[in-house]
Amino acid sequence: MGIRAEVEWVDCRERFPRDGIPVAAAITGRFASDDADERDPDAGLEFWLVRPMYFTTLHFDEDERKYHDCFVDSDGVVRLPYARGGDNPQDDDELITHWAYLPTLPDTTVDYLTGEDAKTARANALGK
C-alpha cells in the first residue's frame, strides 16, 4: 500500500504562501519558438507544469534587480504570480498560476523532524 498525500492548490490571485516557505508552483508559459527549422515539436506551444520553488516577499536578483511577492526556483529563476484579476499583461512570461504547500513527511503531520524524532518517524514509516 502506497502513502498518499493530499494537495490543496491555491490560486495566486487569492493569496500567497508564507514568506520563505518551499512550495509546489504551477507555472504557465510558452515554449521558445526560435527554432528556424521548426525541428522542436514543442516550440511555441503553451505549457502548464509543476516545479518546486519558494515564495518570498522581497528578492534581489544577481543583477540587484528587486522583486516583491515572487517565486524563486533552485536555479535562482524568478517567476511572478499571475496578474490579480483582469487580463494578464505579461502573457509572454512564465507566471505562477497556483501554489501548494509541500506534503508532510510520510505518516506524520509535519514537514521537518530532527534527531531522535526523525529516526523514530522514519522507522515507523518504513515499518521497522
Side-chain angles (χ1 to χ4, degrees):
M1 176 174 88
I3 298 172
R4 295 189 173 269
E6 213 173 286
V7 175
E8 177 187 347
W9 287 102
V10 179
D11 188 324
C12 281
R13 297 171 298 175
E14 296 174 8
R15 65 180 156 83
F16 295 133
R18 296 185 312 266
D19 187 38
I21 298 295
V23 296
I27 305 166
T28 187
R30 185 177 295 277
F31 288 115
S33 60
D34 58 354
D35 186 359
D37 297 332
E38 298 185 24
R39 289 174 288 195
D40 183 354
D42 293 330
L45 292 176
E46 288 187 37
F47 65 82
W48 198 28
L49 59 88
V50 174
R51 297 256 345 245
M53 305 187 90
Y54 73 90
F55 176 79
T56 182
T57 55
L58 179 61
H59 178 77
F60 290 94
D61 207 353
E62 291 177 0
D63 62 0
E64 295 304 313
R65 188 170 172 191
K66 186 177 179 179
Y67 294 93
H68 292 279
D69 297 333
C70 62
F71 295 81
V72 183
D73 73 13
S74 60
D75 294 326
V77 176
V78 175
R79 291 187 178 83
L80 302 175
Y82 202 78
R84 291 178 183 240
D87 293 330
N88 192 344
Q90 306 160 1
D91 285 332
D92 294 334
D93 293 336
E94 293 181 7
L95 302 170
I96 306 300
T97 61
H98 295 76
W99 61 271
Y101 288 118
L102 298 178
T104 59
L105 290 164
D107 292 338
T108 75
T109 59
V110 298
D111 57 12
Y112 179 79
L113 290 170
T114 58
E116 194 60 37
D117 290 338
K119 183 178 179 181
T120 302
R122 183 180 56 245
N124 289 340
L126 293 172
K128 297 179 180 178

